[in-house]
Amino acid sequence: MEVRLPYKIVRLETQPTYCTQGNTQLDFRLTLDGWVEGLLFYWVPDGTPPSEALEEETLYLERPFAGPEVRGFLTVSPEGRVLGAGTQGIEVRPDRRLWVRGVRGGVLGPYVGAVNVVRPDSTSFCDPSW
């Protein structure tokens, strides 16, 4: 049985890098056909299904969003936490991918993955903005 939702999220995009030396404001934009009551984000290592995200790798933004374009940012830590504290030192970090789900009437929509991966940048001049 297929459930047809009264909205559709497509073309989630993010910047190409995140910093490994401190927190990063991760810019995103997506195309939303319709409106949702909230957006549920998943910040997971590339190749990890969003359904396996750890609690600290998720963030729910509860407020109405209407299309056609939604822009914003999440603050992410080098360890992969959403809105988490940064750590000291430089470690090898995996490529990551941002995912989102719309919420309307308490029903979660399908997972929509960003069209690009976000690569770690350990340089001292890391500036991941678009």
Side-chain angles (χ1 to χ4, degrees), residues 3-25:
V3 176
R4 294 197 178 254
L5 300 172
Y7 67 88
K8 187 174 183 180
I9 297 173
V10 295
R11 193 107 182 125
L12 173 62
E13 295 179 273
T14 61
Q15 65 209 36
T17 60
Y18 70 96
C19 296
T20 60
Q21 297 179 350
N23 293 348
T24 302
Q25 280 192 344

Side-chain angles (χ1 to χ4, degrees), residues 10-19 24-31 41 43 69-74 98 114-119 126-130:
V10 295
R11 193 107 182 125
L12 173 62
E13 295 179 273
T14 61
Q15 65 209 36
T17 60
Y18 70 96
C19 296
T24 302
Q25 280 192 344
L26 183 70
D27 296 320
F28 70 85
R29 67 177 165 238
L30 58 87
T31 301
F41 290 93
W43 175 240
E69 186 172 80
V70 176
R71 291 176 177 255
F73 70 89
L74 303 175
L98 185 65
V115 297
N116 62 296
V117 297
V118 184
R119 306 205 185 284
C126 177
D127 181 13
S129 62
W130 274 341

